Amino acid sequence: MSKNIDWENLGFSYIKTDYRYIAYWKNGEWSKGELTQDNVLHISEGSTALHYGQQCFEGLKAYRCKDGSINLFRPEQNALRMQKSCQRLLMPEIPVEMFVDACKQVVKANKDWLGPYGSGATLYLRPFLIGVGDNVGVSPAPEYIFSIFCCPVGAYFKGGMKPTNFIVSDYDRAAPQGTGAAKVGGNYAASLYPGKMAKARNFADCIYLDPAKHTKIEEVGSANFFGITKDNKFVTPLSPSILPSITKYSLLYLAKERLGMDVVEGDVYIDQLDQFKEAGACGTAAVITPIGGIQYGDNFHVFYSETEVGEVTTKLYNELVGIQFGDVEAPEGWIVKVE
Ligand SMILES: *Cc1c(COP(=O)(O)O)cnc(C)c1O
């Protein structure tokens, strides 16, 4: 039985669901993970996650299909990206199979929290890995916890996509050879203040430029950037300090293979926005957010429109979301059925 939730009006906030997965790394190996109803962690005050930011996380969604079955979208990609984050922060990797199996267990155990097909609601999964155990010096933790919880979340846009405005920040979320490409909490802690400044000026969030020279677009808040050029190329930035968005790489593929577009991963100079007829931000939470305009210094650049969504952005959105909810045929291996 579905929970008594107003699925159409759900936002994006923490809701305690029934079960979460938890596994412990001790003495060089992972315990057999299990589901628990307890949503509180009891960890050492010396945990490296608390002092030195030794932690990483992931985000992915489960989708209810028309036939009632449940889809996960490319969960192995999240598993592989988490392994890269682990390598960067010297944490033990989670095997891909263990990660995907844990996602499935959490969705199955909480399936009443996944809204009906057509409501736009999804189940957002938050896998995370933290360094724990008694420690005080700057060194990798003696023990780790890997857990996945989930929350029901609403459609990002109620009543269709709407363009959103952003402002270029003077701050950086990551350093040139830092941890920008790893999904780690430290990048987010660094983004809270610039994000607050952007919101105080009525922008949805800020745009981060390349941290070395501040001439090229890197991230749009906690999403990746893409632009559609006037000659119909799909362009997205390439840089070692960008978090490699699975949504972005999926759009790159769909633009090329399904829409027949040329695709480019390269430099996107902030003073060359005129080349684009449309632009957007993409990620699991944001799906595709059309960018209305970008404020850069005193200049406000409008792409397609501040109120209307461009044709290519709309096509990409329909293709991606159609695949996720099982209405459009998926490229091989993109959909993993939960049951
Ligand atoms: C998670 C994240 C994204 C989006 O990645 P997806 O895999 O598409 O969800 C983009 N930028 C940042 C900084 C992120 O943390």
Side-chain angles (χ1 to χ4, degrees):
M1 267 302 285
S2 265
K3 301 283 171 180
N4 188 15
I5 288 178
D6 180 4
W7 303 107
E8 319 273 337
N9 292 305
L10 258 181
F12 193 91
S13 46
Y14 183 85
I15 291 173
K16 187 188 172 203
T17 52
D18 297 327
Y19 293 96
R20 66 271 313 92
Y21 173 96
I22 190 158
Y24 299 89
W25 193 86
K26 275 184 198 154
N27 305 319
E29 61 181 9
W30 285 108
S31 68
K32 189 174 170 334
E34 54 182 58
L35 294 172
T36 168
Q37 292 199 282
D38 186 2
N39 73 332
V40 177
L41 295 170
H42 190 80
I43 59 174
S44 168
E45 61 193 358
S47 295
T48 58
L50 299 178
H51 303 271
Y52 305 127
Q54 198 193 19
Q55 65 88 250
C56 64
F57 66 97
E58 277 299 326
L60 68 162
K61 285 173 174 172
Y63 306 82
R64 177 84 68 186
C65 303
K66 213 178 241 171
D67 65 4
S69 66
I70 302 176
N71 283 353
L72 288 170
F73 182 70
R74 311 188 74 182
E76 309 87 358
Q77 294 297 316
N78 294 90
L80 292 168
R81 187 169 67 188
M82 188 169 237
Q83 291 185 343
K84 293 218 173 83
S85 298
C86 288
Q87 288 160 16
R88 182 66 181 80
L89 265 55
L90 293 183
M91 303 194 284
E93 293 173 25
I94 320 286
V96 173
E97 206 177 297
M98 174 176 164
F99 182 100
V100 175
D101 175 61
C103 290
K104 287 184 183 170
Q105 286 188 44
V106 171
V107 175
K108 264 189 209 165
N110 295 291
K111 65 174 189 287
D112 295 346
W113 295 93
L114 178 51
Y117 171 84
S119 66
T122 56
L123 198 57
Y124 180 75
L125 304 188
R126 170 49 61 84
F128 64 99
L129 174 59
I130 57 176
V132 298
D134 297 338
N135 178 75
V136 72
V138 180
S139 59
E143 297 172 9
Y144 295 83
I145 291 175
F146 171 56
S147 179
I148 305 180
F149 69 84
C150 68
C151 300
V153 299
Y156 196 76
F157 296 104
K158 324 263 175 247
M161 273 191 292
K162 276 187 217 75
T164 306
N165 296 334
F166 295 87
I167 181 169
V168 174
S169 180
D170 295 332
Y171 289 92
D172 299 314
R173 57 179 280 283
Q177 305 298 325
T179 54
K183 207 166 176 77
V184 301
N187 299 339
Y188 277 78
S191 77
L192 292 175
Y193 182 73
K196 183 180 170 185
M197 304 282 280
K199 281 159 202 154
R201 292 185 59 185
N202 276 326
F203 292 94
D205 208 329
C206 52
I207 297 218
Y208 295 101
L209 301 181
D210 69 288
K213 297 213 171 108
H214 283 203
T215 57
K216 298 178 274 189
I217 292 185
E218 294 227 323
E219 293 265 2
V220 185
S222 48
N224 278 186
F225 176 90
F226 70 87
I228 311 298
T229 61
K230 287 173 178 161
D231 60 355
N232 219 40
K233 289 195 182 83
F234 179 99
V235 180
T236 185
L238 183 65
S239 151
S241 45
I242 291 177
L243 193 283
S245 156
I246 295 159
T247 314
K248 191 261 295 290
Y249 283 108
S250 303
L251 292 177
L252 261 176
Y253 178 90
L254 296 174
K256 182 160 185 268
E257 302 298 330
R258 299 266 169 107
L259 305 189
M261 299 169 70
D262 285 334
V263 297
V264 184
E265 259 189 296
D267 295 333
V268 176
Y269 288 94
I270 188 66
D271 62 2
Q272 291 176 12
L273 298 181
D274 266 344
Q275 64 180 304
F276 299 113
K277 59 178 178 183
E278 299 176 32
C282 60
T284 297
V287 193
I288 293 180
T289 299
I291 301 179
I294 294 179
Q295 183 81 38
Y296 176 51
D298 295 332
N299 182 38
F300 185 65
H301 178 89
V302 175
F303 292 94
Y304 186 77
S305 153
E306 278 187 83
T307 51
E308 306 286 313
V309 184
E311 188 192 345
V312 180
T313 304
T314 304
K315 276 192 193 153
L316 285 169
Y317 180 89
N318 289 340
E319 193 73 20
L320 176 71
V321 174
I323 289 169
Q324 291 170 332
F325 282 98
D327 296 327
V328 172
E329 196 192 336
E332 194 171 339
W334 280 22
I335 294 298
V336 172
K337 285 281 178 201
V338 168
E339 58 177 17

